[in-house]
Amino acid sequence: YKGMLTSEQLGEYFLDLQAQLECTENRIALARRKFNDATRNYNTYIRKFPALITANIFGFDQKAYFEAAEGSETAPVVEF
């Protein structure tokens, strides 16, 4: 069977997939941290004088931090 992959090739593909998933998870975590840092900076900025005056005049409110949905901290089960 010419088109079939060997178990060694499948193992390499699986390890590559695991590395890609780990990289994706790290990028998501970094984006969450950056978002929450920017949100904290914004919320702090609009509470300080003189930005406080402008924020009150134009109705700039504090923004919410990113919070993952309940249960999302558990990775889904993937079966091969």
Side-chain angles (χ1 to χ4, degrees):
Y1 297 32
K2 273 187 167 179
M4 294 191 69
L5 298 173
T6 65
S7 61
E8 184 178 317
Q9 289 172 318
L10 288 173
E12 289 175 20
Y13 287 135
F14 182 75
L15 291 176
D16 184 48
L17 174 63
Q18 280 182 317
Q20 289 178 20
L21 288 173
E22 182 179 354
C23 184
T24 299
E25 289 173 355
N26 290 339
R27 286 194 311 259
I28 290 169
L30 178 62
R32 286 177 182 162
R33 275 194 306 274
K34 284 184 174 184
F35 177 85
N36 284 338
D37 287 347
T39 302
R40 184 183 64 249
N41 291 339
Y42 169 81
N43 288 341
T44 301
Y45 180 75
I46 66 168
R47 285 184 275 162
K48 290 183 179 179
F49 183 83
L52 173 67
I53 296 168
T54 306
N56 285 335
I57 290 171
F58 292 105
F60 297 155
D61 294 326
Q62 290 190 24
K63 302 298 178 191
Y65 292 103
F66 176 83
E67 293 184 22
E70 189 174 319
S72 64
E73 66 277 350
T74 305
V77 177
V78 178
E79 295 183 28
F80 295 95

